[in-house]
């Protein structure tokens, strides 16, 4: 059995990060994206911009690099009110990890709820929000209208204001960070014998179309190994939350041979 002092030490260790990893930049432009700064999905935005014809537009974007979460948590605004309390909350995971009962997942669920609540109530430093605005402004202008109606040149900063301003943007960013504290990341960390501070998450901020439907195309069928030559698609109503955000619902799915219909 682990002593309470040892539990506190283990919980603190789970959030202990090598300060050399902390980025100097709060926010980076697409041209500054690299594997050391953002994940593969963000990198795809910058890669596509160089590969596609000029007439094919890619979403304007910027990103909060890896480890900005820990930078925010170590700031004066959050060091005591959030980080210290989060360490105490994660002590519960240390106890749960030693148990082998059917109630383990349910107990962990309550710990994660508290952890997500703390992350969502962090104060966003002024320096971060100023850097975000500057990056959004620097992403350039683009027509905001279509068809015969008069078009208006708008920056992503303008779209930020239309979407609720800094408060809404900060809440959305914290929601992304809060998703780290859940069953799936925890189980993966335990299997790999890693700690929370080892997790890296960048936050991509990009413009979205107000689409009626969203889809994903897999170049190989991910559900049937016997159909490696089949392109597999999934279509949902809305912006795709059902596909990528663990929202309730099912996708309309279909498949076809990548070489085209047989006999054609």
């Amino acid at each position: 059995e682990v002593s309470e002092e040892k539990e506190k030490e283990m919980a603190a260790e789970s959030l202990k990060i090598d300060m050399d990893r902390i980025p100097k930049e709060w926010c980076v432009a697409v041209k500054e994206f690299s594997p050391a700064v953002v994940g593969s999905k963000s990198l795809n935005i910058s890669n596509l911009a160089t590969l596609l014809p000029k007439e094919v537009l890619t979403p304007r974007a910027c990103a909060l690099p890896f480890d900005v979460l820990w930078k925010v948590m170590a700031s004066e605004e959050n060091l005591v009110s959030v980080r210290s309390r989060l360490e105490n909350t994660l002590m519960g995971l240390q106890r749960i990890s030693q148990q082998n009962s059917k109630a383990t997942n349910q107990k962990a669920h309550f710990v994660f709820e508290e952890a997500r609540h703390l992350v969502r109530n962090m104060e966003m430093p002024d320096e971060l929000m100023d850097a975000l605005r500057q990056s959004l402004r620097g992403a350039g202008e683009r027509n905001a209208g279509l068809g015969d109606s008069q078009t208006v040149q708008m920056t992503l900063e303008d779209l930020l204001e239309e979407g609720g301003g800094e408060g809404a943007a900060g809440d959305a960013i914290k929601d992304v960070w809060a998703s780290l504290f859940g069953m799936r990341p925890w189980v993966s960390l335990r299997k790999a014998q890693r700690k929370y501070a080892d997790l890296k998450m960048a936050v991509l901020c990009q413009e979205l179309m107000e689409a009626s439907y969203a889809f994903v195309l897999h170049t190989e069928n991910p559900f049937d190994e016997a159909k490696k030559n089949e392109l597999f698609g999934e279509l949902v109503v809305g912006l795709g939350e059902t596909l990528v955000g663990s929202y309730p619902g099912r996708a309309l799915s279909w498949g076809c041979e990548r070489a085209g219909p047989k006999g054609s």
Side-chain angles (χ1 to χ4, degrees), residues 42-245:
S42 298
L43 281 173
N44 286 340
I45 296 293
S46 59
N47 292 338
L48 281 171
T50 61
L51 294 172
L52 292 173
K54 290 184 179 180
E55 60 269 20
V56 180
L57 301 179
T58 54
R60 292 173 295 174
C62 62
L64 277 60
F66 292 139
D67 298 322
V68 168
L69 164 61
W70 310 118
K71 187 176 182 178
V72 171
M73 205 172 286
S75 66
E76 185 178 347
E77 300 96 324
N78 299 302
L79 190 58
V80 175
S81 61
V82 176
R83 186 188 171 99
S84 296
R85 291 175 64 188
L86 186 59
E87 288 178 3
N88 290 332
T89 298
L90 293 181
M91 281 175 57
L93 287 182
Q94 305 300 337
R95 299 189 188 101
I96 291 168
S97 297
Q98 300 162 38
Q99 300 172 4
N100 188 15
S101 67
K102 293 181 180 179
T104 296
N105 288 355
Q106 186 176 1
K107 291 177 181 177
H109 174 75
F110 290 120
V111 172
F112 291 131
E113 274 194 347
E114 176 63 20
R116 288 193 292 267
H117 173 76
L118 288 170
V119 172
R120 289 185 177 117
N121 281 277
M122 287 194 303
E123 293 290 331
M124 297 293 263
D126 291 338
E127 297 95 325
L128 188 159
M129 301 312 294
D130 289 344
L132 177 61
R133 277 190 174 277
Q134 185 175 348
S135 293
L136 293 175
R137 196 180 307 129
E141 295 183 340
R142 188 171 290 173
N143 289 345
L146 294 173
D148 295 330
S149 61
Q150 184 177 2
T151 61
V152 179
Q153 295 289 316
M154 296 185 73
T155 66
L156 288 182
E157 185 182 19
D158 297 326
L159 297 178
L160 171 72
E161 294 302 333
E162 283 196 350
E166 288 186 5
D171 288 344
I173 291 168
K174 287 184 285 187
D175 275 344
V176 175
W177 286 335
S179 68
L180 285 174
F181 298 93
M183 287 300 299
R184 186 177 295 177
W186 181 53
V187 169
S188 298
L189 285 171
R190 288 180 66 192
K191 287 182 178 178
Q193 296 183 327
R194 306 297 291 268
K195 59 185 182 179
Y196 260 105
D198 292 329
L199 287 175
K200 291 185 174 184
M201 176 183 279
V203 181
L204 177 66
C205 305
Q206 70 173 39
E207 60 183 333
L208 291 176
M209 293 181 61
E210 295 183 11
S212 299
Y213 300 93
F215 66 91
V216 172
L217 289 177
H218 305 271
T219 53
E220 291 183 1
N221 189 317
F223 306 110
D224 191 340
E225 292 186 0
K227 297 180 178 179
K228 288 296 184 182
N229 292 319
E230 182 179 74
L231 184 148
F232 189 83
E234 297 176 282
L235 175 72
V236 295
V237 174
L239 295 177
E241 295 91 340
T242 302
L243 281 176
V244 299

Side-chain angles (χ1 to χ4, degrees), residues 3-21:
S3 66
E4 184 174 343
E5 184 177 343
K6 184 63 175 177
E7 284 180 347
K8 288 182 180 179
E9 182 182 328
M10 292 167 69
E13 181 65 24
S14 70
L15 295 179
K16 186 178 180 180
I17 188 169
D18 180 0
M19 295 308 291
D20 291 338
R21 270 177 47 189

